[in-house]
Amino acid sequence: MPRREKVEESNGAEPELHDEEDAISGNSSLEEKLTELPGVGSATAAKLVEHGYKTYESIAVANATELAGITGLPQTLSQKIINSARAELKFTIKTAYELEQEMKDIKRITTGSKNLDKLLGGGVETKSATEFFGEYGAGKTQIAFQLSVNAQLPVEKGGLEGTSFYVDTEGTFVPARVRGIAEASSLDPEKALQNVFWIRALNSDHQIAILEGAKDFIQEHNVKLVVIDSVTSFFRSEYPGRENLAPRQQKLNIHLHSLIRLAEIYNLAVVVTNQVMATPDMFYGDPTRAVGGNVLGHAPNNRIYLRKSKGQKRIARLVDSSYLEPGEAVFEITGQGIRDPPE
Ligand code: GTP
Ligand code: MG
């Protein structure tokens, strides 16, 4: 039986343990499916599956050098295989009308604050990456917690009825706070915590590897939100100084683009955080000038600069968006989570 059907049947529950025979027949049916791609024979299919390339999606986002290394095929043929996987998934030339239809699939997760949702065109959207950047204590992690819970909400309440995948690079994940946010959202807190998958990344290579290896997991567990808090911290510490700037940016850029592809393929929201230092002229000048504010360049589709205001109030400014109106929104970090300030 094809693995996919099995996953749909299990309906987001914990993956079942298969006995060995089952696992083998599962693999062989995956291989069979891959051999439907022109250029993929059974030996190549076996190598691909062995290295974790089990789906058309995973091949579509691979690069030719990587595949050539694994399969021993020439690079040109590897590229053809990648192209045909992309064609199968309809990553091809399309009309603007078709594109418009596809954009109707974009869904949004509420942030908990109507003001902030409005700034974002209704919430954090799927099929793209959203960056929250700002200084320490600006509320980046709190927003990430809130979204991890909200992704689980029913659609009519601003959720996507999915799970969240949280990559923690700084060790600042607080389950008790997530529980509190879930309780305040009238979700069963135990279930809500079960639906947030957390992993601590050890360094930038591990961070990249986690995301590269998460494709099957994402599909099997109906993941609708991927958080990386923070996406930049390892890159900053591992590539210090001007002399490392170019390799750091290159690596980060590839990472971000593969995150965006992940968002597009699985119709999920990617949220990344990025700590920056406030500059003294921040309140008068352009907030993108905050130190480190341009580290991610134009890769994320939407970028929101957060700054502290009075007490628990925070101001969010949409800095970079290809289609949303620039503007600001005020929200609050409360005991219940992210909310609008009282009128
Ligand atoms: P860095 O990770 O240091 O860059 O900061 P950050 O932008 O991730 O800040 P974070 O999201 O951790 O926000 C910290 C703020 O949230 C602080 O002002 C805390 O007071 C507030 N906060 C955290 N937990 C709670 C809570 O349980 N209740 C309330 N009311 N506020 C909280
Ligand atoms: Mg944080």
Side-chain angles (χ1 to χ4, degrees):
M1 192 205 288
R3 180 104 172 255
R4 230 186 155 122
E5 284 172 25
K6 225 174 224 172
V7 169
E8 278 161 15
E9 268 172 24
S10 74
N11 204 16
E14 280 300 303
E16 308 153 40
L17 289 174
H18 306 289
D19 61 34
E20 210 180 354
E21 201 184 295
D22 219 34
I24 291 166
S25 70
N27 262 359
S28 64
S29 70
L30 289 172
E31 286 167 20
E32 245 167 61
K33 183 100 180 96
L34 295 186
T35 56
E36 287 168 22
L37 291 174
V40 180
S42 51
T44 302
K47 282 182 198 151
L48 287 170
V49 170
E50 188 192 333
H51 286 86
Y53 293 89
K54 297 176 184 171
T55 57
Y56 288 178
E57 284 90 349
S58 59
I59 294 170
V61 301
N63 69 51
T65 318
E66 207 174 300
L67 278 204
I70 288 162
T71 58
L73 295 172
Q75 188 136 342
T76 46
L77 186 54
S78 300
Q79 189 58 56
K80 277 192 188 137
I81 294 171
I82 292 169
N83 293 348
S84 44
R86 286 177 186 165
E88 280 292 323
L89 296 168
K90 307 207 165 33
F91 278 90
T92 47
I93 295 172
K94 46 191 90 159
T95 64
Y97 176 76
E98 285 167 327
L99 191 60
E100 188 188 56
Q101 293 303 306
E102 278 181 22
M103 285 178 77
K104 289 188 179 150
D105 295 343
I106 294 176
K107 310 246 172 7
R108 290 189 162 78
I109 305 172
T110 178
T111 59
S113 151
K114 289 198 176 70
N115 296 346
L116 190 51
D117 283 353
K118 196 161 158 234
L119 185 73
L120 293 168
V124 167
E125 67 182 26
T126 62
K127 294 199 171 185
S128 67
T130 302
E131 174 193 353
F132 289 94
F133 71 112
E135 65 173 320
Y136 74 93
K140 304 178 291 292
T141 297
Q142 296 302 314
I143 288 178
F145 289 168
Q146 183 76 56
L147 289 169
S148 300
V149 169
N150 288 0
Q152 304 177 36
L153 289 171
V155 174
E156 64 273 16
K157 287 194 171 166
L160 295 178
E161 292 166 24
T163 66
S164 303
F165 187 84
Y166 199 107
V167 182
D168 183 2
T169 71
E170 300 179 319
T172 53
F173 188 84
V174 185
R177 174 66 167 153
V178 176
R179 175 183 280 273
I181 290 174
E183 277 165 0
S185 318
S186 358
L187 284 172
D188 174 343
E190 312 280 297
K191 276 197 194 140
L193 287 170
Q194 298 271 9
N195 284 332
V196 181
F197 299 99
W198 171 90
I199 181 163
R200 177 82 199 260
L202 303 170
N203 55 36
S204 67
D205 282 331
H206 186 217
Q207 181 180 324
I208 291 168
I210 289 169
L211 275 312
E212 295 294 325
K215 289 164 190 133
D216 286 346
F217 189 92
I218 283 171
Q219 236 174 352
E220 286 164 14
H221 293 84
N222 188 31
V223 173
K224 286 290 155 201
L225 170 73
V226 170
V227 170
I228 307 175
D229 183 23
S230 114
V231 77
T232 44
S233 54
F234 285 132
F235 290 88
R236 284 221 176 85
S237 59
E238 292 167 27
Y239 297 85
R242 291 220 155 256
E243 65 279 21
N244 288 315
L245 200 60
R248 180 187 85 183
Q249 287 307 97
Q250 194 188 20
K251 206 172 163 192
L252 197 48
N253 215 11
I254 294 171
H255 182 43
L256 286 164
H257 280 102
S258 70
L259 284 169
I260 293 169
R261 286 199 298 259
L262 201 69
E264 287 169 349
I265 292 172
Y266 299 109
N267 195 9
L268 54 80
V270 167
V271 167
V272 301
T273 70
N274 173 24
Q275 195 199 63
V276 299
M277 278 191 296
T279 52
D281 61 349
M282 180 183 77
F283 291 103
Y284 311 103
D286 176 356
T288 53
R289 285 189 51 219
V291 180
N294 55 4
V295 171
L296 302 187
H298 294 276
N301 310 74
N302 289 313
R303 309 185 62 223
I304 297 100
Y305 180 69
L306 301 175
R307 66 176 196 266
K308 292 179 203 164
S309 181
K310 225 174 167 189
Q312 295 297 66
K313 277 207 182 88
R314 299 291 186 272
I315 300 163
R317 181 194 282 204
L318 188 67
V319 168
D320 227 1
S321 171
S322 45
Y323 57 92
L324 292 170
E325 299 237 352
E328 288 197 342
V330 183
F331 67 93
E332 236 176 32
I333 305 172
T334 73
Q336 274 114 40
I338 304 298
R339 293 290 184 268
D340 285 328
E343 300 267 311

